[in-house]
Amino acid sequence: MTASSLPSPQDNEAYADRRAYPRVPVALPAFLQANGERHAVQLLDVSAGGAKLSSSADLPVGTAVTLDCGTLGRSAVIRWRSPGVLGLSFDRELDAQDLSALIERSRALEARMKARD
């Protein structure tokens, strides 16, 4: 009997997106504070439970951090990383008002940048 090179439906389920909250793409400058240092980052997407950031900071998975994005300051832990990108899990969920405020700020910044062009 030979092994099939085609994945079975069961194989695909193993890689299904397991996020508890939907992500919303944003584009906002922010800061990440960790170990007494402050790093400039770019917020790429956000959900009630976490965020994805563009960052050159060399911080290991498991590092406790604080995300500072304007009026929002939130404690989090780095859950994953790849070159130039970090994934955070917030210690406490964002409420709908905080999430909406980030989305609206991102839209306003995008509109302002387009108006400059």
Side-chain angles (χ1 to χ4, degrees):
M1 189 180 227
T2 61
S4 170
S5 62
L6 297 175
S8 70
Q10 292 81 15
D11 291 337
N12 290 336
E13 290 173 18
Y15 299 104
D17 191 351
R18 295 186 181 119
R19 289 184 188 91
Y21 307 100
R23 290 182 170 195
V24 178
V26 293
L28 291 169
F31 292 97
L32 198 62
Q33 298 177 58
N35 304 322
E37 296 179 346
R38 187 173 166 131
H39 306 275
V41 299
Q42 178 79 15
L43 193 57
L44 302 174
D45 72 31
V46 66
S47 73
K52 180 167 70 171
L53 312 172
S54 173
S55 172
S56 61
D58 187 23
L59 299 168
V61 170
T63 301
V65 298
T66 301
L67 177 65
D68 177 5
C69 188
T71 60
L72 175 73
R74 183 69 57 167
S75 297
V77 173
I78 297 175
R79 290 292 178 213
W80 60 266
R81 60 174 289 152
S82 60
V85 182
L86 300 174
L88 305 182
S89 176
F90 296 134
D91 292 347
R92 178 172 54 86
E93 291 178 10
L94 294 182
D95 62 28
Q97 185 176 2
D98 288 334
L99 197 52
S100 290
L102 287 173
I103 294 165
E104 288 306 312
R105 281 185 44 227
S106 179
R107 288 180 183 157
L109 184 58
E110 181 181 16
R112 189 167 141 203
M113 297 301 280
K114 284 182 180 178
R116 291 174 130 179
D117 293 339

